[in-house]
Amino acid sequence: MNVRHVFSTVLRDVRSVDEAIKATSAATGRPICLQEVSYLGQQGPSGLLVQSGSCDVIQLPSGVSGRRRVGIIGHELGHLLLGHQPEDLSGLFSIDPDIVKRILARHHFDDRKERDAELLGTMLAQTIGRNLQFEGLWSCLS
C-alpha cells in the first residue's frame, strides 16, 4: 500500500494520538491497546507491535512523552495500516535474553516496510503538532 494514500484516507484529519488509534482500529477492525514497558528504550527498539488473536498491542518505553511518543505510536500504527505482517520471533525466546536484546535493538530502516512505517509515523507527528499549534493560535484569537 502507498503511505501517502493510507495517511490521507485514514489519518489526515486526526488531532490526537487517541484519534489516530481509534481511526486505525476502525480501519483494521481490531482493538488497539498501548502498553508501557521498562525493557524498551535506549538499548533496544523504540516500540514493538504485538499482535494476538483478539487485539493489537503497541508497546513503548515507560515514561516516553511528546513528539517521540507520537512518532513511536505512529510508526507501529503504520505497520498495521500498511498491512505489514510481523516477523516470526517465536524462536527467539528460547535464546539467552542478552542475545534477544541485541537482535531486537537492530534498526532496519534499510527495509522498505520500516521506512514506510517511519514515514507514516513522522507524518502523523507533524499533523498532530500542526493541529495543536493551530488550535492554540485559534484559541488565542477567540
Side-chain angles (χ1 to χ4, degrees):
M1 290 191 149
N2 179 291
V3 174
R4 293 184 197 292
H5 174 74
V6 167
F7 183 82
S8 67
T9 57
V10 179
L11 299 175
R12 182 188 64 209
D13 296 324
V14 301
R15 298 196 177 286
S16 69
V17 171
D18 288 340
E19 286 183 19
I21 291 169
K22 287 177 187 171
T24 302
S25 182
T28 63
R30 291 173 51 88
I32 300 169
C33 300
L34 298 181
Q35 179 184 34
E36 291 191 8
V37 293
S38 60
Y39 57 82
L40 291 174
Q42 301 297 334
Q43 299 299 318
S46 299
L48 288 175
L49 175 61
V50 180
Q51 296 181 287
S52 73
S54 60
C55 70
D56 298 319
V57 179
I58 296 174
Q59 294 184 336
L60 57 156
S62 299
V64 70
S65 61
R67 186 164 269 199
R68 181 164 184 246
R69 180 182 180 88
V70 174
I72 292 168
I73 294 169
H75 178 98
E76 301 307 334
L77 293 177
H79 284 304
L80 290 171
L81 290 168
L82 295 166
H84 297 166
Q85 297 300 312
E87 294 180 33
D88 181 12
L89 301 176
S90 58
L92 291 179
F93 299 104
S94 61
I95 301 173
D96 180 282
D98 289 332
I99 294 173
V100 173
K101 285 180 187 174
R102 284 197 301 267
I103 292 170
L104 292 176
R106 295 182 186 142
H107 296 284
H108 299 286
F109 290 112
D110 57 333
D111 179 286
R112 173 78 184 209
K113 290 179 181 179
E114 289 300 320
R115 281 195 315 266
D116 288 350
E118 190 64 16
L119 175 59
L120 198 140
T122 301
M123 291 168 70
L124 178 63
Q126 289 173 343
T127 298
I128 289 174
R130 245 190 329 269
N131 288 340
L132 291 175
Q133 287 174 348
F134 180 75
E135 287 173 4
L137 175 63
W138 187 254
S139 67
C140 290
L141 296 175
S142 18

